[in-house]
Each structure stands twice: as structure tokens, then as C-alpha cells.
Amino acid sequence: MQTNFEKKMFVRLHFLIFVSMNLVIDAGNTCVKLAVFEGDTLVFRQNSEVGDVAREIKEICDHYPRIKHGIIASVGNLDRKVMAVLTVFCEVHELTPMSKLPFKNSYATPQTLGVDRIALATAAFYRYPKKNVLIIDAGTCVTYDMVNDYGEYLGGAISPGLHMRYKALHDQTSKLPLLQPKEFLDYIGNSTETSIHSGVVNGICQEIDGVIDQYGSRFADLTVILTGGDALFLSKRLKNTIFADSKFLLVGLNYLLEYNKR
């Protein structure tokens, strides 16, 4: 006779066998992020070079045979063969502005709204229902996206990201060196290199804090989410209270995949 514990374990095992998993692919401007979700739980994630994506998709699907659905959101130039590889293993939804959205989209040109911003707005809509949420994605670009407490996406802003600012100073001048983000002790730079670090890092932090203040003066009880590749580096330098969440976009894509299964 089975004990209660054995019965519970059997039910749990039976559930795991038949519950499918989702494969989420976020193809950004600089790298591709891959994630596997079981329900709303993230069980695997990794970053990949564009040229390795097809091979790594196969390896992931071999390792997680319960993957039945996938979603691709690409803002870069992801090779179409990646889609072909993925369709071998699961049913695929390619996120576009024409996909079904759970929130009201009040963007004036919805057909031009980036799929990354759609995913971020979706995560905010589900994670913080009936709240005013500003999502800041600090990646190749810094994007600002606002979802109000009525579940309405209003839009936001786009500005150059951290590395883009360093590169612009180098590319658009004849003598300034190309630097990488670095800690600096004083906002008054006493050399060319420390002046660049101060100008770029201090400048982007002042921008982000200023935007948060602008939105905070207009929207009550504003929740601010900071995500993206440079979120950790920048979060320690901001004066405003934020929630840093590196997986926010991936979570939004998983919600969108579930929503578009209906």
C-alpha cells in the first residue's frame, strides 16, 4: 500500500511529465538570451553568440524534451535558420506588433513599437497590476516605457546606452580613446580618461534619475524597474529607489507566449 508521501510524489511526477515547458528567445542588438520556463518559473537561462544559437537551441531542447512551445523576439538580425531549427522541436510564435497583447496599447505608431518594449510592458502589466510602472531597460539603448494603473501602455523614450556613449566619443572625435565602463572616484575628472568616465557614467545616471523624477511628479506611487545588461552597474549609482530585475524581459516574453496560445 502506498503511503501518503508516495502518493503525493506520484502525482507530482505525473504532473511534471505532462506539463510542457516554454523556450524563450530574446535576440537583442548585441547578444541572444535563451531561457526555459516551467509555468511561470524560470528553470534555465544563458546568453549566446548569434552564430551559436541554432546549435544551442538543439542542445536545450534535447535536455528539456518537455519544451512544446517557443517564442522569438528579435530586434537584431537573427538568421531565419534559427526559426527553422526551432520549429523542428516545438510550436513557435514570432513576436511582432501584430501579436495579441494583454494591455491597451496607446502608442501612436504601434506598428513601430519594438518587440523588446512590448515584452517589458507585458511583464509590468502582469507583475504590477493596477500600478503605475516605469520600466528602464539599460542595454544597447536606454529605453523608458510607461504602463499606467489602468493597464494602458503610454510610450516612453529612447536614448543612447552606456557603451554607445563611450563609442560615440571615440568615433566622433580624432583623439579621444575608446574606453569601457569603469568605477571612478570623483565626478570631477582629472585626466582625459577619468573625464570621459565621469561624463558618460555620471551623465547617464543623471539622465535616468531625472527621467524618474519627471515621471514620479506625474504618476502617483510610481514603481520603477531597472533591467538590461548594464542594470547592475548603474543601479548602485542611482539616487532613486528602483527594483533591479535582470530577467524582466524574459518573463514578459513568457507571459506573451502563454497569452498568444489562447
Side-chain angles (χ1 to χ4, degrees):
M1 176 180 291
Q2 285 185 320
T3 65
N4 286 336
F5 174 78
E6 289 172 332
K7 289 178 181 178
K8 289 179 180 178
M9 289 302 295
F10 175 80
V11 171
R12 172 64 177 163
L13 179 60
H14 187 269
F15 175 79
L16 289 176
I17 290 173
F18 289 100
V19 170
S20 65
M21 290 179 162
N22 292 334
L23 176 60
V24 168
I25 302 174
D26 167 30
N29 289 298
T30 55
C31 72
V32 179
K33 301 175 186 68
L34 306 169
V36 177
F37 284 84
E38 181 179 357
D40 59 1
T41 302
L42 178 66
V43 297
F44 172 85
R45 66 183 290 191
Q46 74 175 41
N47 291 351
S48 173
E49 299 294 328
V50 173
D52 299 329
V53 174
R55 174 182 56 80
E56 290 178 352
I57 286 175
K58 181 181 183 306
E59 291 176 356
I60 291 170
C61 291
D62 286 342
H63 188 75
Y64 296 98
R66 287 190 288 118
I67 292 175
K68 302 301 180 185
H69 296 271
I71 185 168
I72 292 181
S74 177
V75 298
N77 296 314
L78 194 64
D79 196 315
R80 297 301 299 179
K81 73 178 181 181
V82 172
M83 178 72 79
V85 169
L86 187 55
T87 55
V88 172
F89 297 97
C90 62
E91 186 177 336
V92 185
H93 179 81
E94 184 174 12
L95 184 62
T96 74
M98 301 305 295
S99 298
K100 291 192 300 182
L101 306 180
F103 55 84
K104 179 183 178 183
N105 189 357
S106 294
Y107 206 55
T109 56
Q111 71 279 4
T112 69
L113 183 60
V115 291
D116 52 340
R117 301 176 73 188
I118 290 173
L120 294 169
T122 300
F125 175 83
Y126 281 112
R127 282 284 181 89
Y128 301 93
K130 298 182 180 179
K131 289 185 177 294
N132 292 312
V133 186
L134 173 64
I135 314 102
I136 304 171
D137 186 1
T140 303
C141 295
V142 180
T143 60
Y144 303 86
D145 293 288
M146 181 69 205
V147 179
N148 68 17
D149 51 4
Y150 291 98
E152 179 183 14
Y153 176 77
L154 302 179
I158 304 172
S159 71
L162 191 63
H163 292 269
M164 190 182 293
R165 297 178 193 220
Y166 278 109
K167 190 172 186 299
L169 286 176
H170 172 68
D171 291 351
Q172 302 299 319
T173 64
S174 59
K175 294 184 179 180
L176 292 181
L178 178 60
L179 304 179
Q180 296 299 315
K182 182 181 178 181
E183 301 280 351
F184 61 93
L185 299 176
D186 193 342
Y187 65 86
I188 302 176
N190 63 359
S191 69
T192 297
E193 289 197 2
T194 55
S195 293
I196 291 173
H197 287 308
S198 177
V200 172
V201 178
N202 192 47
I204 199 170
C205 289
Q206 292 290 333
E207 174 195 305
I208 292 173
D209 273 325
V211 171
I212 293 172
D213 288 344
Q214 279 184 325
Y215 280 72
S217 67
R218 181 171 171 180
F219 298 96
D221 300 320
L222 183 68
T223 298
V224 181
I225 307 298
L226 179 65
T227 189
D230 292 320
L232 182 61
F233 179 82
L234 296 173
S235 62
K236 299 174 288 185
R237 297 166 173 81
L238 299 176
K239 68 177 179 65
N240 280 284
T241 301
I242 59 166
F243 296 98
D245 188 342
S246 63
K247 61 183 184 298
F248 205 66
L249 194 151
L250 297 173
V251 168
L253 288 175
N254 188 55
Y255 280 132
L256 280 165
L257 177 54
E258 289 297 321
Y259 191 76
N260 280 273
K261 285 180 186 179
R262 301 173 188 174

PDB file of all heavy atoms in Angstrom, residues 17-44:
ATOM      1  N   ILE A  17       5.527  15.185 -15.906  1.00  0.00           N
ATOM      2  CA  ILE A  17       5.662  14.502 -17.185  1.00  0.00           C
ATOM      3  C   ILE A  17       4.822  15.175 -18.253  1.00  0.00           C
ATOM      4  O   ILE A  17       5.230  15.309 -19.408  1.00  0.00           O
ATOM      5  CB  ILE A  17       5.270  13.012 -17.041  1.00  0.00           C
ATOM      6  CG1 ILE A  17       6.344  12.275 -16.216  1.00  0.00           C
ATOM      7  CG2 ILE A  17       5.095  12.353 -18.404  1.00  0.00           C
ATOM      8  CD1 ILE A  17       5.972  10.857 -15.881  1.00  0.00           C
ATOM      9  N   PHE A  18       3.634  15.632 -17.869  1.00  0.00           N
ATOM     10  CA  PHE A  18       2.684  16.122 -18.860  1.00  0.00           C
ATOM     11  C   PHE A  18       2.627  17.642 -18.987  1.00  0.00           C
ATOM     12  O   PHE A  18       2.062  18.152 -19.941  1.00  0.00           O
ATOM     13  CB  PHE A  18       1.286  15.561 -18.554  1.00  0.00           C
ATOM     14  CG  PHE A  18       1.184  14.085 -18.832  1.00  0.00           C
ATOM     15  CD1 PHE A  18       1.273  13.172 -17.805  1.00  0.00           C
ATOM     16  CD2 PHE A  18       1.031  13.624 -20.127  1.00  0.00           C
ATOM     17  CE1 PHE A  18       1.197  11.813 -18.062  1.00  0.00           C
ATOM     18  CE2 PHE A  18       0.953  12.265 -20.393  1.00  0.00           C
ATOM     19  CZ  PHE A  18       1.039  11.349 -19.356  1.00  0.00           C
ATOM     20  N   VAL A  19       3.183  18.377 -18.030  1.00  0.00           N
ATOM     21  CA  VAL A  19       3.198  19.828 -18.150  1.00  0.00           C
ATOM     22  C   VAL A  19       4.333  20.231 -19.082  1.00  0.00           C
ATOM     23  O   VAL A  19       5.477  19.848 -18.890  1.00  0.00           O
ATOM     24  CB  VAL A  19       3.386  20.496 -16.774  1.00  0.00           C
ATOM     25  CG1 VAL A  19       3.643  21.987 -16.937  1.00  0.00           C
ATOM     26  CG2 VAL A  19       2.149  20.282 -15.925  1.00  0.00           C
ATOM     27  N   SER A  20       4.009  20.999 -20.101  1.00  0.00           N
ATOM     28  CA  SER A  20       5.021  21.386 -21.079  1.00  0.00           C
ATOM     29  C   SER A  20       5.838  22.570 -20.588  1.00  0.00           C
ATOM     30  O   SER A  20       5.470  23.258 -19.634  1.00  0.00           O
ATOM     31  CB  SER A  20       4.369  21.728 -22.417  1.00  0.00           C
ATOM     32  OG  SER A  20       3.544  22.868 -22.288  1.00  0.00           O
ATOM     33  N   MET A  21       6.939  22.796 -21.271  1.00  0.00           N
ATOM     34  CA  MET A  21       7.818  23.919 -20.971  1.00  0.00           C
ATOM     35  C   MET A  21       7.845  24.867 -22.156  1.00  0.00           C
ATOM     36  O   MET A  21       7.507  24.485 -23.286  1.00  0.00           O
ATOM     37  CB  MET A  21       9.239  23.423 -20.681  1.00  0.00           C
ATOM     38  CG  MET A  21       9.392  22.674 -19.371  1.00  0.00           C
ATOM     39  SD  MET A  21      11.106  22.095 -19.148  1.00  0.00           S
ATOM     40  CE  MET A  21      11.108  21.787 -17.392  1.00  0.00           C
ATOM     41  N   ASN A  22       8.258  26.105 -21.885  1.00  0.00           N
ATOM     42  CA  ASN A  22       8.386  27.118 -22.937  1.00  0.00           C
ATOM     43  C   ASN A  22       9.845  27.493 -23.128  1.00  0.00           C
ATOM     44  O   ASN A  22      10.586  27.643 -22.153  1.00  0.00           O
ATOM     45  CB  ASN A  22       7.612  28.391 -22.570  1.00  0.00           C
ATOM     46  CG  ASN A  22       6.112  28.180 -22.561  1.00  0.00           C
ATOM     47  OD1 ASN A  22       5.586  27.302 -23.235  1.00  0.00           O
ATOM     48  ND2 ASN A  22       5.406  29.006 -21.800  1.00  0.00           N
ATOM     49  N   LEU A  23      10.233  27.665 -24.388  1.00  0.00           N
ATOM     50  CA  LEU A  23      11.551  28.181 -24.719  1.00  0.00           C
ATOM     51  C   LEU A  23      11.393  29.627 -25.168  1.00  0.00           C
ATOM     52  O   LEU A  23      10.625  29.916 -26.085  1.00  0.00           O
ATOM     53  CB  LEU A  23      12.212  27.358 -25.832  1.00  0.00           C
ATOM     54  CG  LEU A  23      13.575  27.858 -26.329  1.00  0.00           C
ATOM     55  CD1 LEU A  23      14.590  27.887 -25.200  1.00  0.00           C
ATOM     56  CD2 LEU A  23      14.078  26.994 -27.473  1.00  0.00           C
ATOM     57  N   VAL A  24      12.114  30.528 -24.513  1.00  0.00           N
ATOM     58  CA  VAL A  24      12.028  31.953 -24.790  1.00  0.00           C
ATOM     59  C   VAL A  24      13.352  32.428 -25.376  1.00  0.00           C
ATOM     60  O   VAL A  24      14.421  32.143 -24.811  1.00  0.00           O
ATOM     61  CB  VAL A  24      11.703  32.726 -23.494  1.00  0.00           C
ATOM     62  CG1 VAL A  24      11.893  34.220 -23.695  1.00  0.00           C
ATOM     63  CG2 VAL A  24      10.282  32.425 -23.044  1.00  0.00           C
ATOM     64  N   ILE A  25      13.282  33.151 -26.500  1.00  0.00           N
ATOM     65  CA  ILE A  25      14.488  33.638 -27.167  1.00  0.00           C
ATOM     66  C   ILE A  25      14.379  35.145 -27.357  1.00  0.00           C
ATOM     67  O   ILE A  25      13.481  35.629 -28.036  1.00  0.00           O
ATOM     68  CB  ILE A  25      14.695  32.954 -28.533  1.00  0.00           C
ATOM     69  CG1 ILE A  25      14.775  31.435 -28.356  1.00  0.00           C
ATOM     70  CG2 ILE A  25      15.953  33.491 -29.220  1.00  0.00           C
ATOM     71  CD1 ILE A  25      14.826  30.665 -29.666  1.00  0.00           C
ATOM     72  N   ASP A  26      15.300  35.860 -26.723  1.00  0.00           N
ATOM     73  CA  ASP A  26      15.374  37.309 -26.847  1.00  0.00           C
ATOM     74  C   ASP A  26      16.630  37.667 -27.630  1.00  0.00           C
ATOM     75  O   ASP A  26      17.739  37.589 -27.102  1.00  0.00           O
ATOM     76  CB  ASP A  26      15.407  37.946 -25.448  1.00  0.00           C
ATOM     77  CG  ASP A  26      15.804  39.418 -25.481  1.00  0.00           C
ATOM     78  OD1 ASP A  26      15.505  40.085 -26.494  1.00  0.00           O
ATOM     79  OD2 ASP A  26      16.406  39.890 -24.493  1.00  0.00           O
ATOM     80  N   ALA A  27      16.456  38.013 -28.900  1.00  0.00           N
ATOM     81  CA  ALA A  27      17.587  38.344 -29.766  1.00  0.00           C
ATOM     82  C   ALA A  27      17.769  39.849 -29.788  1.00  0.00           C
ATOM     83  O   ALA A  27      17.052  40.564 -30.503  1.00  0.00           O
ATOM     84  CB  ALA A  27      17.355  37.801 -31.175  1.00  0.00           C
ATOM     85  N   GLY A  28      18.694  40.332 -28.982  1.00  0.00           N
ATOM     86  CA  GLY A  28      18.935  41.763 -28.890  1.00  0.00           C
ATOM     87  C   GLY A  28      19.948  42.238 -29.912  1.00  0.00           C
ATOM     88  O   GLY A  28      20.323  41.505 -30.834  1.00  0.00           O
ATOM     89  N   ASN A  29      20.418  43.461 -29.713  1.00  0.00           N
ATOM     90  CA  ASN A  29      21.377  44.038 -30.650  1.00  0.00           C
ATOM     91  C   ASN A  29      22.783  43.483 -30.474  1.00  0.00           C
ATOM     92  O   ASN A  29      23.572  43.497 -31.416  1.00  0.00           O
ATOM     93  CB  ASN A  29      21.416  45.561 -30.466  1.00  0.00           C
ATOM     94  CG  ASN A  29      20.148  46.229 -30.960  1.00  0.00           C
ATOM     95  OD1 ASN A  29      19.821  46.167 -32.129  1.00  0.00           O
ATOM     96  ND2 ASN A  29      19.423  46.870 -30.054  1.00  0.00           N
ATOM     97  N   THR A  30      23.115  43.004 -29.276  1.00  0.00           N
ATOM     98  CA  THR A  30      24.484  42.564 -29.023  1.00  0.00           C
ATOM     99  C   THR A  30      24.612  41.076 -28.705  1.00  0.00           C
ATOM    100  O   THR A  30      25.660  40.494 -28.932  1.00  0.00           O
ATOM    101  CB  THR A  30      25.097  43.363 -27.856  1.00  0.00           C
ATOM    102  OG1 THR A  30      24.246  43.256 -26.710  1.00  0.00           O
ATOM    103  CG2 THR A  30      25.235  44.835 -28.241  1.00  0.00           C
ATOM    104  N   CYS A  31      23.575  40.465 -28.165  1.00  0.00           N
ATOM    105  CA  CYS A  31      23.642  39.027 -27.884  1.00  0.00           C
ATOM    106  C   CYS A  31      22.232  38.440 -27.880  1.00  0.00           C
ATOM    107  O   CYS A  31      21.241  39.166 -27.970  1.00  0.00           O
ATOM    108  CB  CYS A  31      24.342  38.750 -26.552  1.00  0.00           C
ATOM    109  SG  CYS A  31      23.374  39.184 -25.099  1.00  0.00           S
ATOM    110  N   VAL A  32      22.169  37.117 -27.792  1.00  0.00           N
ATOM    111  CA  VAL A  32      20.892  36.411 -27.765  1.00  0.00           C
ATOM    112  C   VAL A  32      20.749  35.742 -26.401  1.00  0.00           C
ATOM    113  O   VAL A  32      21.659  35.060 -25.933  1.00  0.00           O
ATOM    114  CB  VAL A  32      20.814  35.356 -28.884  1.00  0.00           C
ATOM    115  CG1 VAL A  32      19.481  34.611 -28.823  1.00  0.00           C
ATOM    116  CG2 VAL A  32      21.001  36.010 -30.249  1.00  0.00           C
ATOM    117  N   LYS A  33      19.599  35.970 -25.775  1.00  0.00           N
ATOM    118  CA  LYS A  33      19.330  35.364 -24.471  1.00  0.00           C
ATOM    119  C   LYS A  33      18.339  34.228 -24.658  1.00  0.00           C
ATOM    120  O   LYS A  33      17.312  34.392 -25.306  1.00  0.00           O
ATOM    121  CB  LYS A  33      18.778  36.409 -23.497  1.00  0.00           C
ATOM    122  CG  LYS A  33      19.719  37.586 -23.277  1.00  0.00           C
ATOM    123  CD  LYS A  33      19.080  38.649 -22.403  1.00  0.00           C
ATOM    124  CE  LYS A  33      19.965  39.880 -22.317  1.00  0.00           C
ATOM    125  NZ  LYS A  33      20.047  40.603 -23.606  1.00  0.00           N
ATOM    126  N   LEU A  34      18.648  33.088 -24.075  1.00  0.00           N
ATOM    127  CA  LEU A  34      17.807  31.900 -24.155  1.00  0.00           C
ATOM    128  C   LEU A  34      17.335  31.543 -22.754  1.00  0.00           C
ATOM    129  O   LEU A  34      18.115  31.598 -21.796  1.00  0.00           O
ATOM    130  CB  LEU A  34      18.595  30.720 -24.746  1.00  0.00           C
ATOM    131  CG  LEU A  34      19.269  30.960 -26.101  1.00  0.00           C
ATOM    132  CD1 LEU A  34      20.214  29.815 -26.433  1.00  0.00           C
ATOM    133  CD2 LEU A  34      18.228  31.112 -27.195  1.00  0.00           C
ATOM    134  N   ALA A  35      16.061  31.168 -22.638  1.00  0.00           N
ATOM    135  CA  ALA A  35      15.522  30.820 -21.323  1.00  0.00           C
ATOM    136  C   ALA A  35      14.471  29.730 -21.473  1.00  0.00           C
ATOM    137  O   ALA A  35      13.790  29.641 -22.496  1.00  0.00           O
ATOM    138  CB  ALA A  35      14.916  32.040 -20.642  1.00  0.00           C
ATOM    139  N   VAL A  36      14.352  28.913 -20.441  1.00  0.00           N
ATOM    140  CA  VAL A  36      13.331  27.868 -20.389  1.00  0.00           C
ATOM    141  C   VAL A  36      12.461  28.124 -19.164  1.00  0.00           C
ATOM    142  O   VAL A  36      12.982  28.353 -18.059  1.00  0.00           O
ATOM    143  CB  VAL A  36      13.958  26.462 -20.308  1.00  0.00           C
ATOM    144  CG1 VAL A  36      12.868  25.399 -20.184  1.00  0.00           C
ATOM    145  CG2 VAL A  36      14.839  26.188 -21.525  1.00  0.00           C
ATOM    146  N   PHE A  37      11.152  28.112 -19.371  1.00  0.00           N
ATOM    147  CA  PHE A  37      10.187  28.308 -18.285  1.00  0.00           C
ATOM    148  C   PHE A  37       9.342  27.062 -18.110  1.00  0.00           C
ATOM    149  O   PHE A  37       8.903  26.443 -19.087  1.00  0.00           O
ATOM    150  CB  PHE A  37       9.258  29.485 -18.584  1.00  0.00           C
ATOM    151  CG  PHE A  37       9.891  30.837 -18.393  1.00  0.00           C
ATOM    152  CD1 PHE A  37      10.658  31.413 -19.394  1.00  0.00           C
ATOM    153  CD2 PHE A  37       9.703  31.541 -17.209  1.00  0.00           C
ATOM    154  CE1 PHE A  37      11.232  32.668 -19.226  1.00  0.00           C
ATOM    155  CE2 PHE A  37      10.279  32.796 -17.030  1.00  0.00           C
ATOM    156  CZ  PHE A  37      11.039  33.362 -18.040  1.00  0.00           C
ATOM    157  N   GLU A  38       9.108  26.713 -16.858  1.00  0.00           N
ATOM    158  CA  GLU A  38       8.113  25.703 -16.500  1.00  0.00           C
ATOM    159  C   GLU A  38       6.996  26.454 -15.795  1.00  0.00           C
ATOM    160  O   GLU A  38       7.153  26.908 -14.668  1.00  0.00           O
ATOM    161  CB  GLU A  38       8.696  24.641 -15.589  1.00  0.00           C
ATOM    162  CG  GLU A  38       7.695  23.555 -15.220  1.00  0.00           C
ATOM    163  CD  GLU A  38       8.305  22.483 -14.325  1.00  0.00           C
ATOM    164  OE1 GLU A  38       9.512  22.547 -14.032  1.00  0.00           O
ATOM    165  OE2 GLU A  38       7.548  21.592 -13.921  1.00  0.00           O
ATOM    166  N   GLY A  39       5.880  26.657 -16.498  1.00  0.00           N
ATOM    167  CA  GLY A  39       4.858  27.557 -15.979  1.00  0.00           C
ATOM    168  C   GLY A  39       5.434  28.964 -15.955  1.00  0.00           C
ATOM    169  O   GLY A  39       5.952  29.448 -16.959  1.00  0.00           O
ATOM    170  N   ASP A  40       5.397  29.621 -14.793  1.00  0.00           N
ATOM    171  CA  ASP A  40       5.991  30.952 -14.690  1.00  0.00           C
ATOM    172  C   ASP A  40       7.327  30.922 -13.955  1.00  0.00           C
ATOM    173  O   ASP A  40       7.846  31.960 -13.538  1.00  0.00           O
ATOM    174  CB  ASP A  40       5.028  31.914 -13.992  1.00  0.00           C
ATOM    175  CG  ASP A  40       4.646  31.470 -12.591  1.00  0.00           C
ATOM    176  OD1 ASP A  40       5.146  30.410 -12.144  1.00  0.00           O
ATOM    177  OD2 ASP A  40       3.855  32.169 -11.935  1.00  0.00           O
ATOM    178  N   THR A  41       7.907  29.725 -13.817  1.00  0.00           N
ATOM    179  CA  THR A  41       9.189  29.574 -13.145  1.00  0.00           C
ATOM    180  C   THR A  41      10.318  29.451 -14.158  1.00  0.00           C
ATOM    181  O   THR A  41      10.286  28.595 -15.047  1.00  0.00           O
ATOM    182  CB  THR A  41       9.189  28.323 -12.241  1.00  0.00           C
ATOM    183  OG1 THR A  41       8.136  28.436 -11.276  1.00  0.00           O
ATOM    184  CG2 THR A  41      10.519  28.171 -11.524  1.00  0.00           C
ATOM    185  N   LEU A  42      11.308  30.305 -14.025  1.00  0.00           N
ATOM    186  CA  LEU A  42      12.483  30.250 -14.887  1.00  0.00           C
ATOM    187  C   LEU A  42      13.399  29.135 -14.394  1.00  0.00           C
ATOM    188  O   LEU A  42      13.876  29.168 -13.265  1.00  0.00           O
ATOM    189  CB  LEU A  42      13.222  31.594 -14.847  1.00  0.00           C
ATOM    190  CG  LEU A  42      14.503  31.715 -15.663  1.00  0.00           C
ATOM    191  CD1 LEU A  42      14.212  31.613 -17.149  1.00  0.00           C
ATOM    192  CD2 LEU A  42      15.206  33.031 -15.354  1.00  0.00           C
ATOM    193  N   VAL A  43      13.644  28.141 -15.247  1.00  0.00           N
ATOM    194  CA  VAL A  43      14.462  26.995 -14.832  1.00  0.00           C
ATOM    195  C   VAL A  43      15.828  26.972 -15.503  1.00  0.00           C
ATOM    196  O   VAL A  43      16.719  26.215 -15.093  1.00  0.00           O
ATOM    197  CB  VAL A  43      13.724  25.664 -15.096  1.00  0.00           C
ATOM    198  CG1 VAL A  43      12.451  25.590 -14.274  1.00  0.00           C
ATOM    199  CG2 VAL A  43      13.408  25.481 -16.582  1.00  0.00           C
ATOM    200  N   PHE A  44      15.993  27.792 -16.557  1.00  0.00           N
ATOM    201  CA  PHE A  44      17.286  27.807 -17.257  1.00  0.00           C
ATOM    202  C   PHE A  44      17.400  29.105 -18.032  1.00  0.00           C
ATOM    203  O   PHE A  44      16.427  29.596 -18.596  1.00  0.00           O
ATOM    204  CB  PHE A  44      17.368  26.618 -18.230  1.00  0.00           C
ATOM    205  CG  PHE A  44      18.575  26.661 -19.138  1.00  0.00           C
ATOM    206  CD1 PHE A  44      19.798  26.155 -18.720  1.00  0.00           C
ATOM    207  CD2 PHE A  44      18.487  27.206 -20.416  1.00  0.00           C
ATOM    208  CE1 PHE A  44      20.912  26.203 -19.553  1.00  0.00           C
ATOM    209  CE2 PHE A  44      19.592  27.254 -21.261  1.00  0.00           C
ATOM    210  CZ  PHE A  44      20.804  26.753 -20.815  1.00  0.00           C
TER     211      PHE A  44
END
